[in-house]
Amino acid sequence: MDIQQQAIGFLGGTFDPIHFGHLRPALEITEALSLQQLFMMPNHIAPHKSASHGTAKQRSEMVELAISQQPRMTVDKRELKRHKPSYTIDTLKELKIEYPDTPICFIMGMDSLISFDSWYDWKNILSYCHLIISHRPGWQSEFNEQVAALVAKHQTTDKHDLHNVQFGKIYFQTTSQLAISSTEIRDLLSHNISIDFLTPDSVINYIKEQYLYK
């Protein structure tokens, strides 16, 4: 496979804080799809959220700590430099300019795909990337008419398409779905309850040092 054509992946999120529910599926997708690189992309202000708890710097540093031992995973901070909500289409347009010959895989959960037709300029997103849908084993979802039509038109079951075609494919990847949420972690910390085994030790130590989520 031509390394210049080997696909790269992007996973966005508030990561407030990052945890194993983000990290394990990200690693599984990177390996299963032979991605050249996976970029973890912290949002500045997610369009569906009013605010974050950790600062942009803190959230970014926690991601860096969490993936420090994974050579194919890195942080992309572009959305943190924006002073407005982060829309996926805007980021994808930037990425396509920077990686004109490299297929881009944008990773999302099944819950995001279900509501995909509510995303800003959603009809044009597949003109810039492939969508990788992370879902739990055996889970079949019912889509509304618009999303069902999109999936029917663009779905592929051949992962090689993600490398051989520049954009426009939807691929479903089974991953470990760990029932962990950033909200749960913040709530535990606010009640002085241990968050061991929910996120990497490096992140736990950082949270303690920064007195986060108290």
Side-chain angles (χ1 to χ4, degrees):
M1 184 181 296
D2 184 351
I3 192 68
Q4 296 301 314
Q5 295 298 318
Q6 191 175 353
I8 56 177
F10 289 84
L11 175 61
T14 310
F15 303 133
D16 195 18
I18 192 166
H19 52 71
F20 289 132
H22 302 123
L23 294 163
R24 183 62 202 178
L27 178 62
E28 290 176 357
I29 287 171
T30 301
E31 295 185 336
L33 303 184
S34 303
L35 297 180
Q36 178 185 164
Q37 193 85 38
L38 177 67
F39 296 86
M40 306 292 283
M41 185 180 290
N43 302 139
H44 174 57
I45 305 169
H48 60 287
K49 295 184 180 181
S50 58
S52 61
H53 298 267
T55 66
K57 181 174 183 289
Q58 288 170 328
R59 292 183 292 113
S60 173
E61 288 178 346
M62 284 188 284
V63 175
E64 289 176 337
L65 288 168
I67 63 176
S68 63
Q69 303 301 312
Q70 295 296 326
R72 280 198 283 170
M73 298 171 72
T74 190
V75 183
D76 185 306
K77 301 180 183 179
R78 75 184 64 235
E79 293 196 349
L80 296 177
K81 299 172 183 176
R82 294 181 185 158
H83 301 291
K84 61 178 183 178
S86 298
Y87 289 108
T88 299
I89 191 72
D90 297 333
T91 298
L92 289 170
K93 287 176 179 177
E94 283 184 12
L95 292 172
K96 207 60 202 169
I97 292 170
E98 293 176 31
Y99 302 97
D101 301 318
T102 304
I104 293 169
C105 294
F106 187 81
I107 300 163
M108 65 171 68
M110 185 71 83
D111 55 338
S112 294
L113 182 62
I114 288 170
S115 61
F116 189 61
D117 57 327
S118 69
W119 287 35
Y120 177 72
D121 203 13
W122 67 277
K123 290 183 178 179
N124 288 317
I125 286 177
L126 279 167
S127 298
Y128 297 93
C129 69
H130 304 304
L131 294 181
I132 309 302
I133 312 304
S134 170
H135 67 98
R136 68 175 181 259
W139 191 37
Q140 299 295 318
S141 183
E142 292 187 9
F143 303 119
N144 66 35
E145 188 175 340
Q146 294 200 90
V147 175
L150 188 79
V151 171
K153 181 178 180 181
H154 294 278
Q155 183 179 1
T156 181
T157 57
D158 185 354
K159 65 182 180 181
H160 296 100
D161 286 345
L162 306 174
H163 302 281
N164 297 329
V165 181
Q166 285 287 320
F167 54 83
K169 300 296 184 181
I170 298 176
Y171 186 88
F172 291 83
Q173 177 63 47
T174 299
T175 58
S176 299
Q177 298 289 302
L178 307 178
I180 304 170
S181 74
S182 298
T183 301
E184 173 196 7
I185 289 174
R186 294 194 303 268
D187 186 58
L188 290 171
L189 287 166
S190 71
H191 292 89
N192 293 313
I193 299 172
S194 172
I195 59 167
D196 287 0
F197 310 121
L198 296 176
T199 189
D201 289 345
S202 57
V203 175
I204 294 173
N205 292 333
Y206 182 89
I207 288 170
K208 291 176 181 176
E209 290 167 3
Q210 296 286 313
Y211 299 102
L212 271 170
Y213 311 123
K214 293 295 185 182

